[in-house]
Amino acid sequence: MYADHSHRYYENQARLLVAVDCVILGFNNGTLKLLLFRRKVEPFRNEWSLIGSFVRPDEGVGHAASRILEEYTGLKNVFLEELGCYGHPERDPGGRVISIAHYALIRAIEQDKDLAEKYQAHWFDFDQLPALILDHRKMVDNALEKLRRKARYHPIGFELLPEKFTIPQLKILYDAIYQKELDRRNFRKKILSMNILEKLDEKDKTSSRKGAFLYRFDKAKYEELSGKGFDFEL
Amino acid sequence: MYADHSHRYYENQARLLVAVDCVILGFNNGTLKLLLFRRKVEPFRNEWSLIGSFVRPDEGVGHAASRILEEYTGLKNVFLEELGCYGHPERDPGGRVISIAHYALIRAIEQDKDLAEKYQAHWFDFDQLPALILDHRKMVDNALEKLRRKARYHPIGFELLPEKFTIPQLKILYDAIYQKELDRRNFRKKILSMNILEKLDEKDKTSSRKGAFLYRFDKAKYEELSGKGFDFEL
DNA sequence: CCAAAAGTGTTATCGCTACACCCATGA
DNA sequence: TCATGGGTGTAGCGATAACACTTTTGG
């Protein structure tokens, strides 16, 4: 049954259940959102929960995380990073399970209709989160904390916006992440001075009569600068 | 044999071996050091390795880390933090083992004589590391990276110095962490302006005729400021 | 022609950097 | 008395924060 060769040397050691859980974050309508699911298995069946899975013997831990992310959102190649290990022996009354929490940032959270039906999923505002099972609330809090910290030095916000976005949109996102209103003009100057945005000819007119120019994140330029130890503090 | 109740709900799931490994960092004589051990078990018996252990079914993951840290260094209550999960299925030819790496910062690395004999342990300079087993080298690199990043915003350096230390000593430590020489005077100003050091009446005369005043880290004051969202950038 | 959002420029201030200088002491 | 490391002060510069003003366009 096991794909490994543990019996060779470590057979006397105890084995534990290992799972991954995903804090899936999105952004819409000026606020950060969290994707939650109704749990399908006992214990706590039907309660709100992060999406998770046990790690299979023949897959890496990171692989397990991206596997379930794709399975439940249909998305590949999204930003996905390890959050940490939640390993208290009593954390799950259903058994001794160690969970490696991850967090993901995804764009375009419109087409949730399918998800909602298929998996009983729902996007929640952060100020209206329901009670979560186990230590999932802690994972969520830690994910937000990590996002805030990371966003200060890495241009990570782009992961939450569509490919083309306007500067005002980007600013609103950062307002939401930092929980405070940045100065419009200073924000624009700073982000443009980094030279990681490509200005397009199109305008987005959905939020003003004048219309705001669309930009695209220039990943190549970013990685070039990043490699040189450049700072992207915001 | 197992202390948990996994059989209740999750009995069909595969179980994995879960270990912790500790990157133990110290500071002496102006350079950062790493504590390594000769591995006692197969495979790779006798090669240089981080110290590690399997996680027991009835203990938390963090607990396992501090348990082995105390077992091999005799030290309790040291700085110990999770580094991350190393979970590639092929990382250990001895079996499918997931390792939760940790890193520890310890003071006073003089009395290693006992350790050296008892466990075949040795403190290495970072520019003279031997080959390490498995992915331990990666863990070490990640630990250094994390130390550097963390030291910028948290007064973490104190964990590596004795309780009483001088400002020049502290500066030398930060030189070593950041791998570049900071300015003596600016460093002093900045660190003193944070108000987290308590000046003592004693002087340390080991490194100059004039002698340098000893200081102590004022943890209470630090936590007070830290709670108020204070920044400790260095 | 007006409301509302987009976009640009200017100034004052704060913090950091890069220095030069004085102090205390053992040999 | 002098070499050595410890300790203090300051001037210039660059980045940031706090602002006011102009532009565009649908209704």
Side-chain angles (χ1 to χ4, degrees):
Chain A
M1 165 176 187
Y2 294 111
D4 64 276
H5 311 283
S6 304
H7 56 280
R8 281 209 264 159
Y9 294 108
Y10 309 136
E11 58 182 358
N12 295 329
Q13 300 297 335
R15 292 159 178 273
L16 307 178
L17 290 163
V18 179
V20 291
D21 285 300
C22 276
V23 180
I24 304 178
L25 302 173
F27 178 70
N28 200 7
N29 223 337
T31 51
L32 282 171
K33 311 269 190 181
L34 172 65
L35 186 58
L36 294 175
F37 298 78
R38 287 226 183 248
R39 177 153 156 134
K40 293 176 299 183
V41 300
E42 294 291 353
F44 306 116
R45 164 178 240 134
N46 248 4
E47 300 199 28
W48 289 109
S49 151
L50 299 175
I51 194 65
S53 163
F54 286 103
V55 176
R56 298 176 183 162
D58 56 348
E59 73 179 348
V61 172
H63 180 273
S66 47
R67 171 171 58 75
I68 58 163
L69 193 63
E70 185 182 354
E71 188 176 330
Y72 285 90
T73 67
L75 299 172
K76 273 191 92 117
N77 287 85
V78 302
F79 177 94
L80 177 64
E81 205 173 64
E82 185 182 325
L83 244 187
C85 171
Y86 293 72
H88 190 86
E90 313 288 341
R91 61 177 288 275
D92 188 339
R96 168 58 153 135
V97 184
I98 283 173
S99 175
I100 315 298
H102 288 67
Y103 73 113
L105 307 181
I106 75 177
R107 317 169 205 274
I109 59 178
E110 307 301 343
Q111 78 306 27
D112 34 311
K113 286 288 168 351
D114 306 345
L115 289 181
E117 314 267 316
K118 210 162 152 190
Y119 300 115
Q120 297 208 69
H122 191 255
W123 284 101
F124 284 89
D125 273 27
F126 269 91
D127 47 10
Q128 288 169 19
L129 293 186
L132 299 181
I133 64 165
L134 308 184
D135 46 8
H136 285 195
R137 179 58 197 244
K138 201 164 152 200
M139 293 177 182
V140 171
D141 291 341
N142 290 159
L144 253 192
E145 211 177 293
K146 191 142 187 169
L147 171 62
R148 295 212 169 100
R149 182 174 301 276
K150 184 137 187 155
R152 292 192 80 87
Y153 304 103
H154 302 274
I156 209 184
F158 305 101
E159 305 287 347
L160 287 161
L161 291 176
E163 199 204 338
K164 302 173 181 179
F165 52 86
T166 68
I167 307 271
Q169 276 166 21
L170 187 60
K171 174 193 132 33
I172 291 173
L173 168 61
Y174 274 86
D175 285 350
I177 292 177
Y178 294 148
Q179 308 255 242
K180 73 165 184 173
E181 172 129 5
L182 305 173
D183 183 274
R184 238 173 5 106
R185 304 151 279 201
N186 293 334
F187 178 82
R188 174 182 236 98
K189 253 179 301 181
K190 216 163 171 184
I191 199 79
L192 285 179
S193 75
M194 290 181 190
N195 271 326
I196 52 174
L197 295 188
E198 179 190 356
K199 187 176 186 175
L200 307 177
D201 278 331
E202 305 169 68
K203 276 194 166 188
D204 174 284
K205 296 210 158 198
T206 57
S207 66
S208 79
R209 312 193 189 284
K210 181 178 179 179
F213 277 103
L214 286 164
Y215 288 78
R216 193 184 315 177
F217 177 51
D218 189 337
K219 198 162 185 177
K221 227 174 233 168
Y222 162 63
E223 279 169 1
E224 182 196 329
L225 292 174
S226 180
K228 303 197 194 312
F230 214 78
D231 233 17
F232 295 91
E233 185 163 355
L234 258 178
Chain B
M1 164 177 187
Y2 294 111
D4 64 276
H5 311 283
S6 305
H7 55 279
R8 283 209 263 158
Y9 295 107
Y10 309 136
E11 59 181 358
N12 294 330
Q13 301 297 335
R15 291 159 177 275
L16 307 178
L17 290 163
V18 179
V20 291
D21 285 301
C22 277
V23 180
I24 304 178
L25 302 173
F27 178 71
N28 201 7
N29 223 337
T31 51
L32 283 171
K33 311 269 189 179
L34 172 65
L35 186 58
L36 294 175
F37 298 78
R38 289 229 182 245
R39 178 152 155 134
K40 293 177 298 182
V41 301
E42 293 294 351
F44 305 116
R45 162 180 241 132
N46 248 5
E47 300 199 28
W48 288 109
S49 151
L50 299 175
I51 195 65
S53 163
F54 287 105
V55 176
R56 297 176 183 163
D58 57 347
E59 73 178 348
V61 172
H63 180 272
S66 47
R67 171 172 56 76
I68 58 164
L69 193 63
E70 185 182 354
E71 188 176 331
Y72 284 90
T73 67
L75 298 173
K76 273 190 94 122
N77 287 85
V78 302
F79 177 94
L80 177 64
E81 204 174 62
E82 184 182 325
L83 243 188
C85 171
Y86 294 71
H88 191 85
E90 312 289 341
R91 60 177 288 276
D92 187 339
R96 168 54 154 139
V97 183
I98 284 174
S99 176
I100 315 297
H102 289 67
Y103 73 112
L105 307 182
I106 75 178
R107 318 168 202 276
I109 58 177
E110 307 301 343
Q111 79 305 28
D112 35 309
K113 286 289 170 349
D114 307 345
L115 288 181
E117 314 268 315
K118 209 163 154 190
Y119 300 115
Q120 296 209 69
H122 191 254
W123 283 101
F124 284 89
D125 273 28
F126 270 91
D127 47 8
Q128 287 170 17
L129 294 186
L132 298 181
I133 63 164
L134 308 183
D135 46 10
H136 284 196
R137 179 57 197 243
K138 202 165 153 199
M139 294 178 183
V140 170
D141 291 341
N142 291 160
L144 252 191
E145 214 177 290
K146 189 142 190 170
L147 171 63
R148 295 209 169 102
R149 182 175 302 274
K150 183 136 189 156
R152 290 193 81 87
Y153 304 103
H154 302 273
I156 210 183
F158 306 101
E159 306 287 346
L160 287 161
L161 291 177
E163 200 204 337
K164 302 172 181 181
F165 53 86
T166 67
I167 307 271
Q169 276 166 22
L170 187 61
K171 174 192 134 32
I172 290 172
L173 168 61
Y174 274 86
D175 286 349
I177 292 178
Y178 295 147
Q179 307 256 244
K180 73 166 183 174
E181 172 128 6
L182 304 172
D183 183 274
R184 237 175 4 110
R185 302 152 278 200
N186 295 335
F187 178 82
R188 173 182 237 99
K189 253 181 301 182
K190 218 166 175 182
I191 199 80
L192 286 178
S193 74
M194 290 180 190
N195 271 327
I196 51 175
L197 293 189
E198 180 190 355
K199 187 175 183 174
L200 306 177
D201 278 331
E202 305 169 68
K203 277 194 166 190
D204 175 284
K205 296 208 157 198
T206 57
S207 67
S208 79
R209 312 192 189 284
K210 181 178 179 178
F213 277 104
L214 287 164
Y215 288 78
R216 191 185 316 175
F217 177 51
D218 189 336
K219 197 161 186 180
K221 228 175 231 169
Y222 161 63
E223 279 169 0
E224 182 196 329
L225 292 173
S226 181
K228 302 198 194 311
F230 213 78
D231 234 16
F232 295 93
E233 185 162 355
L234 256 178

